[in-house]
């Protein structure tokens, strides 16, 4: 296993749609997953998509802390997201969106408010290539949308309704007396 370098905004790999994985059990995919799982905690993030490590394939690795589900009011085991999603597909379950601050390992130091669907259904393959599916809401739904956007060449600033709200996390924290922005990197 290896800790991988993270691509930053401006690199072309982050702008293009990633290729689907044909065989999840292929050695290069298994190595990619292992390396991404090692890289994620090292980078201090909660989610990582393969294009962020310069690999244009539809693979996402997640490590969302349990207390984030609890803070959203859904701590049931079904609410937990899998650690690995291959070829994920998201389907909004309602038109309702919520705005919250996001941050990204590929856009270091910055944060901004992003509208996201509050409830989504998801399907994917697990690390062994078996079909998995579930529903996510709140923070978990947000993380999934952020990561899956990476697979389509979209970074969160492109989802902001007002790019004037993009700022350095330190400055935004200072200016927001009423609420701390959610700034876990994903
Ligand atoms: Ni990101």
């Amino acid at each position: 296993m290896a800790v991988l370098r993270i691509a930053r905004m401006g690199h072309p790999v982050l702008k293009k749609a990633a290729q689907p994985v044909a065989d999840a059990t292929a050695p290069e995919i298994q190595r990619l997953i292992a390396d991404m799982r090692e890289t994620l905690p090292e980078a201090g993030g909660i989610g990582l998509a393969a294009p962020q490590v310069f690999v244009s394939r539809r693979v996402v690795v997640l490590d969302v802390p349990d207390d984030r589900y609890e803070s959203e009011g859904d701590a049931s085991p079904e609410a937990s997201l899998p650690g690995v999603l291959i070829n994920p597909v998201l389907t909004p379950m309602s038109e309702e969106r919520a705005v919250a601050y996001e941050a990204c390992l590929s856009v270091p130091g910055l944060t901004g408010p992003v509208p996201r669907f509050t409830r989504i259904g998801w399907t994917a393959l697990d690390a062994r290539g078996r079909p998995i599916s579930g529903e996510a809401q709140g923070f978990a739904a947000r993380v999934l949308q952020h990561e899956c956007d990476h697979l389509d060449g979209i970074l969160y600033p492109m989802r902001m309704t007002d790019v004037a709200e993009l700022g350095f996390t330190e400055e935004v924290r200072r200016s927001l007396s009423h609420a701390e922005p959610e700034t876990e990197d994903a």
Side-chain angles (χ1 to χ4, degrees):
M1 297 211 298
V3 172
L4 305 170
R5 212 159 58 83
I6 309 263
R8 292 184 302 172
M9 183 167 65
H11 193 285
V13 73
L14 294 172
K15 293 184 193 169
K16 62 178 184 180
Q19 292 297 309
V21 172
D23 178 5
T25 63
E28 68 269 23
I29 297 299
Q30 290 297 307
R31 188 166 63 237
L32 171 65
I33 290 168
D35 288 348
M36 286 175 68
R37 292 184 101 152
E38 192 175 350
T39 302
L40 183 57
E42 198 69 31
I46 55 170
L48 188 65
Q52 292 184 275
V53 292
F54 302 90
V55 179
S56 195
R57 306 302 293 274
R58 303 188 82 83
V59 176
V60 167
V61 166
L62 298 173
D63 185 15
V64 179
D66 288 342
D67 61 357
R68 293 316 304 254
Y69 298 107
E70 285 156 22
S71 69
E72 296 289 334
D74 190 353
S76 65
E78 301 79 50
S80 295
L81 297 173
V84 178
L85 295 103
I86 296 171
N87 300 343
V89 175
L90 306 185
T91 310
M93 296 175 69
S94 82
E95 281 301 305
E96 191 193 0
R97 289 175 175 84
V99 176
Y101 279 84
E102 295 188 14
C104 181
L105 293 170
S106 295
V107 192
L110 300 181
T111 188
V114 185
R116 298 286 188 186
F117 291 109
T118 56
R119 291 186 66 214
I120 53 165
W122 58 267
T123 64
L125 302 177
D126 70 10
R128 294 185 192 172
R130 299 171 301 198
I132 51 175
S133 63
E135 295 176 11
Q137 59 180 323
F139 186 75
R142 175 172 298 278
V143 171
L144 271 181
Q145 288 167 87
H146 178 116
E147 296 311 327
C148 289
D149 266 357
H150 277 299
L151 306 181
D152 291 325
I154 297 167
L155 298 174
Y156 79 80
M158 297 157 69
R159 293 288 193 194
M160 291 174 61
T161 49
D162 181 2
V163 81
E165 297 296 318
L166 185 66
F168 285 95
T169 307
E170 255 175 57
E171 302 293 345
V172 172
R173 279 220 179 99
R174 205 169 289 158
S175 66
L176 290 182
S177 53
H178 57 286
E180 290 270 301
E182 310 280 359
T183 55
E184 276 138 307
D185 290 310

